[in-house]
Amino acid sequence: MSTTSTPPASHAANPRHRPSLSQRRSRPGEVLFKLALQFCLLVAFAFLVALIAFAVIKGWNRLDPRLWQEMPTGAASRVARAGVQSAITGTLWVIGLTAAICLPIGIASAIYLEEYADNTRWYNRLLELNIQNLAGVPSIVFGILGLGLIARVIGLGFTVITAAIVLSLLVLPVVIIASREALRAVPRSIRQASYALGATRWQTTWRQVLPAAVPGMSTGAILALSRALGEAAPLILLGAVTFIRFNPDSLLSSYTTLPIQIYNLIKEPQAEFQELAAAAIVLLLVILLALNSAAILIRNRFQKRW
Amino acid sequence: MSDPNRKAPDVTDTVSSTRPAPPPVALVNPANRNEGAPRGDDEQVLRLEDVNIFYGDYQAVRGVDMTIGRHQITALIGPSGCGKSTVLRSLNRMNDLIPGARVAGRVTYHGEDLYAREVDPIEVRRRIGMVFQKPNPFPKSIYDNIAYGPRVTGMRVSNMDELVEKALRRAALWDEVKDKRKQSALALSGGQQQRLCIARTIAVSPEVILMDEPCSALDPIATSKIEDLMFELSRDYTIVIVTHNMQQAARVSHRTAFFTAEVDEQGERHGRLIEYDTTNKIFTNPAQKRTEEYITGRFG
């Protein structure tokens, strides 16, 4: 676009009443708009970088194997030797169970809604509407439901399984919506081809539609789980209690998770606790970014051209 | 509707009493396939009697009567929106997949009502296959594309490799793909993909193959290959083809049905069958003025 490569205006064989092509005009509005857009992007990005930098600097002294080799402590005198191991294992237990509960249910619901449900029926439309509404319910509400229904009435108590069920309910709408998108992205022509060969609906879904939708579904699933990973609010109600000094060993163990642990550490006045909290934040961010990168990788790797 | 005597002509049904007694080909029992069916061009495979097709409240096709003969190529032609694809899809119940679609009247296959309550649409589609406008191979290998049909329909295949080879040879694709059967079908050219779709359809040994504008997405060379193939296949299969291309209908078909859209008293457009005859008659000496106008390019 540089003007040096265009011939001088005197050589241009333009009709006299038209401006020469080589007279580039400046357009201030154009430039301003672009700058404004870049500024907005910068604000969003700067906050993210500042957050990470702050956490890394503050927690630098504690970013070492103690973090995952040692158990948490409540005593200020022992905090220099403390870590967050039980929170890491607790998080793995809870998220692993959440995946095991919400993925099968979510994907099955999505298959029903996309492949089987007759959208002209009012009850199917009502279901759809409610799923979308559920996705907008604040997570603390799910926590209250879990406390009242699952922990108390059903009597599972403040355990790993209670937390996993509540987090599953929380992210289920996200899983369903993402899986439906993935199913919808599979071209109708593939289904028609399968039906025209005499395949049943189940065969068509299981052998053609699902395999083609798996990349999109796994992307959605990972994003949903990373949301569950960062949740603290409902678990506060569900007894992810302060300083658990042991790893969960069954579905009915007490537990704590990283976000809860971070919350508890930050409450303490001593600087040593704050440092440990910052280190735990870095760890949580690394796990989240790793999960999101995996989602992007899967999406790019398996994206299908039709 | 599910009483065991349903194959006996129903005297209360005026339409069925005027047609010959159907040979008992039970759609629910694959073992009866082709049993006692003599080879001959005069035999009717499909018959439409006063067929009306609706999408919800909208009537897309009105009052179609026609018969489709064995081992013939029948072409359905007409301007866009005349209902020819809708009629085609009604022949193997692909319309069932469209919410709100409904067929009234009778569509019979060897005399058996395709829309009777006890007929299994899955079984219908195993007998009456379909090739679509846009080539739509599965995102799998060439081999798996062909093996899919026999696998899902539970055909007892002693040698799948052999069946795949036969289907590919039959669709005139073998020489081009024999060394890359395990490669993705999506790597093939458009014309090759369409022949693969035909091979895939043949692999489940249907009696009838419906083709919905099979060449409209293809270049002339690929088109001519498909046309040769259709002609070749018509020795063993009954073919019904919808085409926008009149030359194609004239080149490949034995009989041609001309459809057009008509506006009724309420101002609604319906597809109607205007004329149905041998292709030669339709293209040289049509009985209807509208057919002639369409053939000669004066409307449509």
Side-chain angles (χ1 to χ4, degrees):
Chain A
M1 292 306 269
S2 93
T3 48
T4 55
S5 62
T6 52
S10 57
H11 287 249
N14 289 333
R16 209 166 297 155
H17 55 281
R18 286 189 195 160
S20 161
L21 288 177
S22 61
Q23 286 174 350
R24 267 174 69 120
R25 275 181 296 157
S26 68
R27 295 182 173 82
E30 210 48 19
V31 177
L32 216 65
F33 187 55
K34 189 174 155 196
L35 281 176
L37 294 178
Q38 285 173 338
F39 176 74
C40 292
L41 184 67
L42 193 70
V43 170
F45 192 65
F47 272 109
L48 182 65
V49 171
L51 178 76
I52 294 174
F54 184 74
V56 169
I57 291 167
K58 186 127 193 236
W60 186 254
N61 287 330
R62 300 305 314 270
L63 279 172
D64 54 32
R66 274 178 299 172
L67 194 60
W68 57 85
Q69 281 173 356
E70 302 293 336
M71 290 294 174
T73 179
S77 57
R78 285 201 297 270
V79 72
R81 290 196 315 275
V84 291
Q85 191 189 65
S86 60
I88 296 172
T89 52
T91 297
L92 292 178
W93 268 86
V94 171
I95 293 303
L97 265 177
T98 303
I101 296 169
C102 79
L103 295 186
I105 296 177
I107 290 171
S109 310
I111 290 173
Y112 171 75
L113 288 171
E114 271 314 301
E115 306 293 324
Y116 286 80
D118 179 354
N119 283 337
T120 56
R121 303 273 176 213
W122 65 268
Y123 45 83
N124 285 323
R125 286 207 305 272
L126 188 75
L127 272 177
E128 272 192 66
L129 186 71
N130 276 310
I131 287 168
Q132 279 163 15
N133 285 340
L134 274 181
V137 171
S139 55
I140 191 78
V141 176
F142 282 100
I144 296 165
L145 172 82
L147 178 66
L149 186 69
I150 298 164
R152 298 254 167 86
V153 175
I154 299 181
L156 287 173
F158 294 157
T159 56
V160 171
I161 185 73
T162 307
I165 291 171
V166 171
L167 287 182
S168 295
L169 294 178
L170 178 69
V171 297
L172 204 50
V174 183
V175 174
I176 294 175
I177 290 169
S179 302
R180 289 188 66 187
E181 297 285 337
L183 290 170
R184 216 172 304 156
V186 178
R188 280 174 54 93
S189 62
I190 296 296
R191 297 178 176 85
Q192 288 189 333
S194 179
Y195 288 128
L197 288 169
T200 62
R201 195 177 285 254
W202 165 246
Q203 287 168 331
T204 302
T205 304
W206 184 245
R207 298 187 183 216
Q208 297 295 346
V209 180
L210 262 185
V214 160
M217 283 182 172
S218 34
T219 309
I222 290 173
L223 293 178
L225 288 180
S226 60
R227 181 180 168 199
L229 192 67
E231 271 304 335
L235 300 186
I236 290 175
L237 292 175
L238 293 172
V241 285
T242 326
F243 294 118
I244 291 236
R245 295 193 44 82
F246 54 86
N247 296 322
D249 55 4
S250 78
L251 298 183
L252 296 173
S253 285
S254 304
Y255 68 102
T256 184
T257 66
L258 272 174
I260 294 285
Q261 196 59 45
I262 291 165
Y263 171 74
N264 284 324
L265 287 168
I266 282 174
K267 281 195 308 191
E268 302 293 329
Q270 291 90 344
E272 290 89 343
F273 284 108
Q274 306 287 327
E275 280 182 12
L276 187 55
I281 287 173
V282 173
L283 184 67
L284 184 61
L285 283 176
V286 166
I287 296 174
L288 282 174
L289 289 178
L291 278 179
N292 287 6
S293 313
I296 292 169
L297 220 72
I298 288 174
R299 187 164 55 209
N300 292 346
R301 176 94 169 69
F302 295 100
Q303 222 157 31
K304 285 235 163 63
R305 288 177 302 111
W306 303 100
Chain B
M1 285 301 288
S2 56
D3 78 306
N5 300 322
R6 69 185 167 78
K7 284 186 199 110
D10 183 353
V11 284
T12 61
D13 182 340
T14 51
V15 181
S16 61
S17 60
T18 58
R19 72 193 154 84
V25 182
L27 287 169
V28 279
N29 180 2
N32 283 348
R33 177 175 293 185
N34 290 341
E35 187 183 279
R39 286 178 71 110
D41 289 351
D42 295 333
E43 190 196 332
Q44 292 167 6
V45 174
L46 284 157
R47 181 182 181 122
L48 293 87
E49 292 160 87
D50 192 25
V51 167
N52 298 276
I53 307 175
F54 302 83
Y55 294 122
D57 295 332
Y58 171 66
Q59 184 167 11
V61 171
R62 198 172 190 181
V64 171
D65 289 276
M66 65 188 288
T67 57
I68 287 160
R70 188 175 164 83
H71 295 174
Q72 289 189 343
I73 302 181
T74 305
L76 314 183
I77 64 168
S80 295
C82 67
K84 55 196 188 300
S85 289
T86 300
V87 169
L88 189 77
R89 280 198 301 268
S90 75
L91 300 181
N92 72 340
R93 298 197 54 173
M94 285 300 279
N95 276 337
D96 288 17
L97 304 175
I98 302 171
R102 190 164 58 82
V103 174
R106 282 173 68 92
V107 181
T108 52
Y109 171 67
H110 293 293
E112 192 171 6
D113 188 349
L114 285 182
Y115 287 84
R117 188 186 291 270
E118 62 275 20
V119 166
D120 180 4
I122 305 294
E123 197 55 49
V124 170
R125 295 183 201 124
R126 289 175 188 183
R127 312 285 178 82
I128 307 176
M130 189 157 195
V131 175
F132 298 85
Q133 182 169 0
K134 199 173 145 245
N136 56 355
F138 300 123
K140 294 173 183 277
S141 70
I142 292 168
Y143 185 98
D144 285 337
N145 260 276
I146 295 187
Y148 180 73
R151 282 176 189 150
V152 296
T153 53
M155 280 170 65
R156 259 187 244 113
V157 179
S158 52
N159 188 340
M160 187 63 87
D161 293 355
E162 205 174 277
L163 187 147
V164 169
E165 179 177 340
K166 259 170 78 181
L168 285 171
R169 281 191 192 282
R170 202 74 181 79
L173 193 59
W174 173 254
D175 292 335
E176 292 160 62
V177 303
K178 62 183 173 202
D179 300 324
K180 43 184 181 181
R181 275 166 291 169
K182 299 291 180 189
Q183 290 173 24
S184 169
L186 298 179
L188 297 175
S189 73
Q192 288 173 328
Q193 287 187 6
Q194 195 63 303
R195 275 179 284 150
L196 177 63
C197 292
I198 293 172
R200 180 173 74 181
T201 305
I202 294 170
V204 293
S205 341
E207 184 185 356
V208 183
I209 304 175
L210 308 178
M211 298 188 177
D212 191 356
E213 300 184 41
C215 303
S216 66
L218 304 181
D219 66 56
I221 293 171
T223 298
S224 114
K225 281 187 185 162
I226 302 263
E227 286 179 5
D228 291 347
L229 176 58
M230 271 190 266
F231 204 77
E232 170 67 26
L233 291 176
S234 70
R235 287 190 304 153
D236 300 314
Y237 301 90
T238 302
I239 297 177
V240 187
I241 173 179
V242 161
T243 177
H244 265 302
N245 181 332
M246 281 182 285
Q247 285 75 34
Q248 182 168 66
R251 279 193 300 265
V252 301
S253 71
H254 301 104
R255 292 175 73 83
T256 297
F258 170 64
F259 288 78
T260 193
E262 269 184 5
V263 180
D264 69 7
E265 312 80 52
Q266 279 89 43
E268 292 224 47
R269 284 166 58 92
H270 308 294
R272 303 214 59 166
L273 174 61
I274 302 301
E275 189 171 355
Y276 180 42
D277 214 319
T278 63
T279 298
N280 193 29
K281 177 101 188 329
I282 292 276
F283 280 90
T284 55
N285 186 21
Q288 297 284 329
K289 190 148 175 296
R290 275 179 296 182
T291 312
E292 189 187 340
E293 283 173 351
Y294 183 75
I295 300 299
T296 54
R298 261 178 283 165
F299 110 96

